[in-house]
Amino acid sequence: MPKNLKEMSLVDQLYEIKNGLESEMKVLGYANNTIRMYMNELDYFINFCVKYDGEIDFTEINRPIILESLDYREKQSKDGKISANTKEVFIKALKRLFAYIEDNIDDERNYMRMFKNIKVQKETKEKKYLTDEEIERLLNVLEQKKKNPSYTNFKNVLLIKLLLFGGLRINEALNLQIGDFEFGNGGSVYKVRVLGKGNKEGYVYIKKELIEDELNEIIRERKSGHIFVTKSGRLMTSREARGAAERLYRKAKIFKHGLHILRHTLAMKLVREGVDIVHIKKILRHSNIATTTVYAKSNEDSLVEIARNLGHKP
């Protein structure tokens, strides 16, 4: 951190501190996606602070300014409204920034007091997932794609199946290499090494017959290295992956969106099949079982099915 930080304008101070924080997060092994997300939110905060440039320095930022910046962040979105998750990420990024200030620049002031009782109200939206009929239609579309063999088709089919049957997060899937697949349980399943949140290593197990054709075709094409690459050889982006999935959804007449819906679908299927919540936690690699129990809440369909079966003779 430069010795003349106090002599800089507020905006220059914040950019300097932000750069220091980014370097620290890289050293500490934060996921690249998390770093990008935090830095993006901090850019919004710094743009907001332009109005105070020349009037205050970072030590004079207070709670009203934090709350005002949150209002600014919301108004900068396309429709003037952001989700509770985005608000939470914005606040987390600011907390991380000011914690960095406390640890590295100014240990006299308790900056965390600014955030006391600033809590984002969570949205209680039911998690969306594919129905059994939608899964069947999607799998039919994937089989049709395989009849027109090409690296792109097999790559996209494999991507969907890894998320749907393995519960991988999209960044975990996109970072997979051919060497991450090995046989387990006598060769009936693939044991897939993945790097999860915070570069935490874990394993996913997928029935061999579900992805064998796709993986073999890709190995013939690439031999080694990353699986999900473009024709030019660079890694596929999450945006490109989402676009490929959306095209497959449309062909299957599925009018739901996103890639994480496939992970939700696996979770709900496991719940409906009566798999123990502890096993589901391990399959999804959740760090906290409270995250897993969200899927275990009864939905209307399951309640109706229970009611239908009540009173049946064994």
Side-chain angles (χ1 to χ4, degrees):
M1 200 55 55
K3 294 180 180 179
N4 63 342
L5 185 66
K6 288 281 189 179
E7 299 172 9
M8 296 180 178
S9 69
L10 174 63
V11 169
D12 287 343
Q13 286 176 336
L14 291 174
Y15 273 123
E16 195 70 35
I17 295 166
K18 175 195 158 196
N19 290 338
L21 172 61
E22 184 175 11
S23 297
E24 179 180 273
M25 291 179 75
K26 287 178 180 177
V27 169
L28 293 176
Y30 279 76
N32 289 334
N33 194 47
T34 300
I35 295 173
R36 281 194 300 269
M37 192 164 50
Y38 275 34
M39 296 305 116
N40 181 60
E41 294 304 321
L42 290 177
D43 282 338
Y44 278 107
F45 178 68
I46 295 172
N47 288 338
F48 161 75
C49 286
V50 168
K51 66 185 289 185
Y52 293 105
D53 210 30
E55 297 180 12
I56 63 173
D57 69 13
F58 70 89
T59 64
E60 298 172 272
I61 292 174
N62 55 26
R63 182 185 177 87
I65 289 175
I66 296 295
L67 291 173
E68 190 182 357
S69 72
L70 181 57
D71 182 60
Y72 168 87
R73 172 65 180 93
E74 187 153 39
K75 289 176 179 174
Q76 291 304 300
S77 63
K78 290 181 181 179
D79 55 3
K81 187 175 177 64
I82 56 177
S83 69
N85 284 341
T86 302
K87 289 179 184 178
E88 191 168 15
V89 171
F90 182 77
I91 295 298
K92 282 183 178 179
L94 292 187
K95 283 183 175 180
R96 194 71 189 80
L97 181 76
F98 285 100
Y100 177 83
I101 291 173
E102 276 189 21
D103 292 340
N104 297 277
I105 304 168
D106 180 8
D107 60 1
E108 295 182 3
R109 180 183 169 193
N110 180 4
Y111 288 91
M112 291 301 103
R113 290 184 65 183
M114 295 190 295
F115 299 96
K116 187 178 180 181
N117 296 326
I118 295 181
K119 295 181 180 178
V120 177
Q121 293 299 315
K122 287 285 190 179
E123 297 166 340
T124 55
K125 292 194 300 185
E126 186 178 334
K127 290 186 180 292
K128 293 183 179 179
Y129 58 94
L130 303 185
T131 65
D132 288 342
E133 287 184 3
E134 289 170 332
I135 293 171
E136 186 176 355
R137 293 204 301 270
L138 180 58
L139 292 177
N140 286 337
V141 167
L142 298 184
E143 288 303 310
Q144 289 299 317
K145 279 289 178 186
K146 286 164 58 177
K147 291 179 180 178
N148 182 20
S150 70
Y151 171 72
T152 298
N153 281 346
F154 278 106
K155 173 187 70 176
N156 292 340
V157 170
L158 179 62
L159 179 66
I160 296 294
K161 287 188 174 183
L162 286 172
L163 273 58
L164 181 60
F165 296 124
L168 275 75
R169 301 175 180 93
I170 182 57
N171 288 330
E172 293 171 345
L174 294 181
N175 284 313
L176 284 176
Q177 300 190 45
I178 289 171
D180 291 327
F181 289 76
E182 60 184 74
F183 288 117
N185 194 31
S188 62
V189 299
Y190 286 111
K191 181 181 179 182
V192 188
R193 175 181 172 272
V194 297
L195 284 177
K197 290 183 177 180
N199 288 328
K200 192 174 182 180
E201 185 178 287
Y203 290 91
V204 170
Y205 298 86
I206 303 179
K207 196 173 181 180
K208 177 183 172 184
E209 65 185 52
L210 292 173
I211 60 171
E212 183 178 24
D213 293 345
E214 296 82 354
L215 190 58
N216 285 342
E217 287 296 326
I218 287 169
I219 291 173
R220 286 194 193 98
E221 180 76 22
R222 290 196 53 76
K223 310 297 182 190
S224 63
H226 283 96
I227 292 174
F228 298 103
V229 297
T230 64
K231 291 179 180 178
S232 64
R234 65 168 172 78
L235 277 178
M236 191 178 188
T237 67
S238 56
R239 177 175 291 185
E240 289 167 339
R242 180 186 173 115
E246 295 286 347
R247 288 189 289 274
L248 292 169
Y249 291 167
R250 287 196 294 271
K251 283 185 177 295
K253 293 182 170 53
I254 295 171
F255 305 104
K256 295 171 183 173
H257 305 284
L259 292 163
H260 214 62
I261 195 173
L262 299 173
R263 182 171 159 89
H264 293 327
T265 299
L266 173 64
M268 292 303 297
K269 188 171 181 62
L270 293 172
V271 168
R272 291 200 307 271
E273 291 178 357
V275 177
D276 188 282
I277 197 72
V278 175
H279 292 317
I280 298 175
K281 175 184 178 292
K282 290 181 179 179
I283 291 169
L284 297 178
R285 290 159 290 111
H286 286 152
S287 57
N288 190 330
I289 199 165
T291 308
T292 317
T293 55
V294 171
Y295 297 102
K297 292 179 179 177
S298 296
N299 55 40
E300 186 178 0
D301 289 342
S302 61
L303 294 175
V304 168
E305 190 62 28
I306 290 169
R308 281 179 181 155
N309 290 325
L310 282 175
H312 283 191
K313 293 181 180 179

